[in-house]
Amino acid sequence: MRFALPYFFGGLMNDKNRYLSSAFLLLVSSVIVKIIGAVYKIPLTAYIGAVGRGYFASAYNIYIPIHAVIMGAFPVAISKLTGKYNARGDSESLSALKKGASRLMLFVGIIGTLVMVALAGPYSEFVAASPKSRGTILVLAPTILFSALAASHRGFFEGLMNMRPTAVSQTLEALFKMVFGLIFARVTMAYFIQSFELTGQVLGTAVQSKGEALSLIYPVTSAAAMLGVTLGAFVSYVYVFIYNAINRKMLPRAGSAPSKEKQRELLSFSFPIMISVAIQSVFQFLDTATVQYALGLAGTDVLQAAYSKSISLADAQTSDTVTYVYGLMSAALDFKNLIPGITMALGVCAVPAVSAAMEQKNAVRLSDLINEIYKYTILLSVLGGVFLAVFSRDVLDLFYKNSSPDIPVGCDRLVTYFALTVPFYCLAGSAVFCVQAIGKAEKSITPYIVSGAVRCFLNILLIKDEKFLLFGAVISGAAGYFIMAVWNIIIVKKYTKTKFEFKKVIFVPSIIAAVMIILLQKMYNLLEITNNSVYNLLIESAVCAILFCILCFLLKSLNFKEIFCILSTKKNRSNTCN
């Protein structure tokens, strides 16, 4: 405990993290969170059933847009402005900003929670056509408030390039969500099943069969599982609250600068980001809708012929063909989205770092920093994308071979092609964060609109064609996010006068990706050492990582000084990284 406490609650003054070390810490926590999320879904479905997952999904459908608008705008604004004032050494404005941000996020969190509570009934009744999902939505609603309160502290520390609160709090949130969500779901399911078997009643209602009993139990078990999510968000907030209290003496003291003025500045900076996020949410919905619409245009006969093996294994009904094929794509996206979700940590770290460099008007440092952000984004996406592309079947088998053997059969090639396109998604995300960091968030709105329109148009054009079907979604996504990445890079270049280093950011990582794919494919059979799929996947992961590191060092995409900076936390070492 003596050694654990300094990590969880250690002071700011002993943590002189630079961009690389901050990003590394956040990347590690992001990987842990993604792994927990992937593992969590499998036993959860076993406890609450497919119907319960439906209630769970309905709650998230209303939660995600509200959460995205709040969490996609305000923490970025807090981080950006903190980085700016910290670079100036303006402790008075920092103090006023922190106070104003706390008040604003409390207000925003309450409003977001109330909106979700108010929409729970109408949404579950008329939109989701699932009235029983209302309880699950209501249980999830307080998460908005807890997330907003935590974000006010996390955004401030991120602006000081201290990613420890964010890394630890998001890991705690994921752990509590998984552990207590599964415990609550299992306990409630066991309790009500036992009650039914002993009394023939569920919640005071007499039932004639187990099917009727489960119909009454699933809404309760899904709400109980969702309680774990809310508890995780609460624990996350408690942690950052305690961290802030312990380090309060090291933070800037209150001055005479008015906090209301800083609230207005936060709102002013956040507004274009909120618009961007709202537009992105709309086009994500349209993206999904056009995929489903285009699959319907393709026709049941075409889809059954193309996906006959997986449909046969799943014993899917003819009337459910379109829904089933779309489900295959959703399963593939679960894996593709892991990599951009991890590299997003680089974008989060980019905001205060780029903001500080802008404030100091150091053109050379700013150019180097932005290109480093792009480079590491591409390198990480190459590592994850190549591994997922080459070993897609092994990964899918690990998760679904026993429970849903049809998914590896139907998703294998789709995951491979999606994996090869993840650099577009990852680079677009980091470029957007850089645009926000230089204070030009409104300029990213048009790229969002154009990218979304391109994706929707290509979805309808390609997916209905039997030559493409779901592979059309791969092409449309890659095209849309390529446009978004290039457009935002041009925006950053225009307003910062920085040079985009094509060789370092694009050419060398592309060589690394091509060589890795060729070598790993040739080595594939040699890596199947045991009959245990988990051990084989671990061996494949290790070989992939070692090969990646060797190529990066040989082609000078990585050097020992950068690794030294990532691992170093002491003041005397961090000075050597300047």
Side-chain angles (χ1 to χ4, degrees):
M1 179 63 70
R2 185 178 65 183
F3 297 102
L5 283 176
Y7 176 77
F8 282 95
F9 299 106
L12 296 174
M13 301 304 289
N14 294 324
D15 238 299
K16 303 291 186 180
N17 286 332
R18 299 291 183 184
Y19 172 75
L20 290 178
S21 56
S22 298
F24 179 73
L25 177 61
L26 206 53
L27 279 168
V28 170
S29 69
S30 296
V31 170
I32 294 171
V33 168
K34 292 296 181 182
I35 291 173
I36 291 172
V39 172
Y40 169 60
K41 293 177 183 178
I42 299 171
L44 177 66
T45 303
Y47 293 144
I48 67 176
V51 177
R53 280 296 300 271
Y55 296 138
F56 216 75
S58 295
Y60 267 106
N61 286 343
I62 189 173
Y63 165 81
I64 287 174
I66 300 172
H67 184 268
V69 170
I70 294 174
M71 301 302 290
F74 291 106
V76 173
I78 295 169
S79 177
K80 149 73 179 177
L81 295 176
T82 299
K84 181 178 78 171
Y85 290 128
N86 188 50
R88 291 180 183 175
D90 188 349
S91 59
E92 188 173 294
S93 292
L94 274 174
S95 176
L97 175 66
K98 191 173 191 308
K99 185 177 180 181
S102 297
R103 290 178 176 178
L104 179 62
M105 294 305 285
L106 173 61
F107 175 75
V108 168
I110 292 173
I111 294 299
T113 299
L114 292 177
V115 168
M116 192 164 171
V117 169
L119 293 177
Y123 176 84
S124 59
E125 184 77 33
F126 302 110
V127 179
S130 178
K132 294 179 182 178
S133 64
R134 181 178 183 180
T136 308
I137 297 172
L138 293 175
V139 170
L140 183 61
T143 304
I144 298 286
L145 174 60
F146 299 139
S147 296
L149 292 173
S152 68
H153 296 301
R154 283 163 50 163
F156 185 80
F157 285 112
E158 286 169 8
L160 298 175
M161 292 304 293
N162 179 5
M163 300 300 163
R164 182 178 296 169
T166 299
V168 176
S169 63
Q170 70 180 15
T171 304
L172 287 174
E173 182 174 353
L175 282 171
F176 273 78
K177 176 181 75 171
M178 179 180 71
V179 174
F180 286 94
L182 294 177
I183 289 174
F184 293 157
R186 183 173 183 176
V187 168
T188 52
M189 176 61 77
Y191 173 80
F192 286 116
I193 286 292
Q194 185 180 36
S195 175
F196 162 69
E197 292 174 346
L198 293 175
T199 67
Q201 293 184 337
V202 175
L203 297 169
T205 301
V207 291
Q208 303 299 319
S209 66
K210 188 174 182 179
E212 290 181 37
L214 289 174
S215 180
L216 295 174
I217 293 172
Y218 281 142
V220 181
T221 55
S222 61
M226 192 63 80
L227 183 60
V229 176
T230 304
L231 179 61
F234 175 72
V235 170
S236 174
Y237 166 62
V238 170
Y239 165 74
V240 293
F241 178 83
I242 295 173
Y243 187 97
N244 178 74
I246 290 175
N247 293 284
R248 186 169 293 165
K249 293 181 180 180
M250 301 176 188
L251 297 173
R253 295 183 179 181
S256 58
S259 59
K260 288 187 178 180
E261 180 183 319
K262 300 307 173 187
Q263 287 179 356
R264 287 192 291 270
E265 188 176 12
L266 272 174
L267 286 170
S268 176
F269 187 83
S270 300
F271 185 73
I273 302 178
M274 292 170 64
I275 298 298
S276 297
V277 173
I279 290 172
Q280 185 181 19
S281 297
V282 168
F283 276 105
Q284 283 177 341
F285 170 78
L286 292 175
D287 194 2
T288 299
T290 50
V291 169
Q292 293 174 304
Y293 176 71
L295 287 173
L297 292 178
T300 300
D301 292 341
V302 170
L303 295 177
Q304 284 189 320
Y307 300 96
S308 58
K309 291 183 179 179
S310 57
I311 288 174
S312 176
L313 286 171
D315 195 23
Q317 301 298 305
T318 302
S319 58
D320 295 330
T321 300
V322 173
T323 302
Y324 174 77
V325 173
Y326 180 72
L328 290 178
M329 180 177 165
S330 298
L333 289 175
D334 284 342
F335 293 94
K336 186 273 290 181
N337 290 336
L338 285 173
I339 302 169
I342 292 170
T343 59
M344 188 176 71
L346 294 174
V348 172
C349 296
V351 173
V354 172
S355 177
M358 283 281 291
E359 196 63 30
Q360 294 168 354
K361 303 186 186 321
N362 188 331
V364 174
R365 181 190 170 204
L366 181 62
S367 181
D368 288 343
L369 178 60
I370 289 173
N371 280 285
E372 287 297 297
I373 292 166
Y374 294 155
K375 183 188 80 170
Y376 279 103
T377 297
I378 291 293
L379 285 175
L380 285 169
S381 66
V382 163
L383 174 59
V386 168
F387 173 77
L388 197 55
V390 176
F391 303 111
S392 59
R393 186 56 180 265
D394 295 337
V395 174
L396 288 164
D397 281 344
L398 178 65
F399 283 94
Y400 293 113
K401 186 175 183 179
N402 295 325
S403 59
S404 304
D406 57 299
I407 292 179
V409 173
C411 284
D412 185 13
R413 288 177 59 217
L414 189 62
V415 170
T416 295
Y417 291 131
F418 266 130
L420 294 175
T421 67
V422 292
F424 299 125
Y425 295 84
C426 297
L427 185 58
S430 287
V432 168
F433 272 111
C434 287
V435 170
Q436 294 170 353
I438 64 174
K440 298 294 179 182
E442 72 280 359
K443 300 296 181 181
S444 65
I445 294 175
T446 303
Y448 271 126
I449 295 173
V450 174
S451 171
V454 167
R455 297 200 311 270
C456 293
F457 172 76
L458 290 179
N459 280 341
I460 295 174
L461 179 68
L462 298 177
I463 295 175
K464 68 178 182 180
D465 189 332
E466 62 182 316
K467 296 178 183 177
F468 294 100
L469 297 176
L470 289 180
F471 298 110
V474 177
I475 297 171
S476 67
Y481 280 89
F482 173 79
I483 291 170
M484 190 185 300
V486 172
W487 200 320
N488 281 281
I489 287 171
I490 291 172
I491 293 171
V492 173
K493 183 178 179 181
K494 176 181 177 181
Y495 288 97
T496 62
K497 308 301 181 184
T498 55
K499 179 182 177 182
F500 179 77
E501 298 181 22
F502 180 84
K503 179 182 177 181
K504 178 167 63 173
V505 176
I506 303 296
F507 181 73
V508 173
S510 298
I511 298 297
I512 292 171
V515 173
M516 285 183 67
I517 290 173
I518 293 170
L519 293 180
L520 288 173
Q521 285 181 332
K522 290 183 178 296
M523 297 166 60
Y524 186 88
N525 292 330
L526 298 176
L527 298 177
E528 297 290 316
I529 297 174
T530 73
N531 293 323
N532 188 304
S533 59
V534 176
Y535 290 153
N536 285 337
L537 203 58
L538 288 174
I539 293 168
E540 291 163 354
S541 301
V543 171
C544 185
I546 292 169
L547 179 59
F548 172 77
C549 290
I550 291 172
L551 290 171
C552 284
F553 281 113
L554 287 176
L555 295 175
K556 299 182 180 180
S557 272
L558 286 176
N559 59 59
F560 287 104
K561 182 179 178 180
E562 289 176 347
I563 301 302
F564 185 73
C565 291
I566 290 173
L567 299 178
S568 175
T569 57
K570 294 183 179 180
K571 182 177 180 179
N572 63 326
R573 290 184 178 181
S574 65
N575 286 338
T576 67
C577 302
N578 291 334

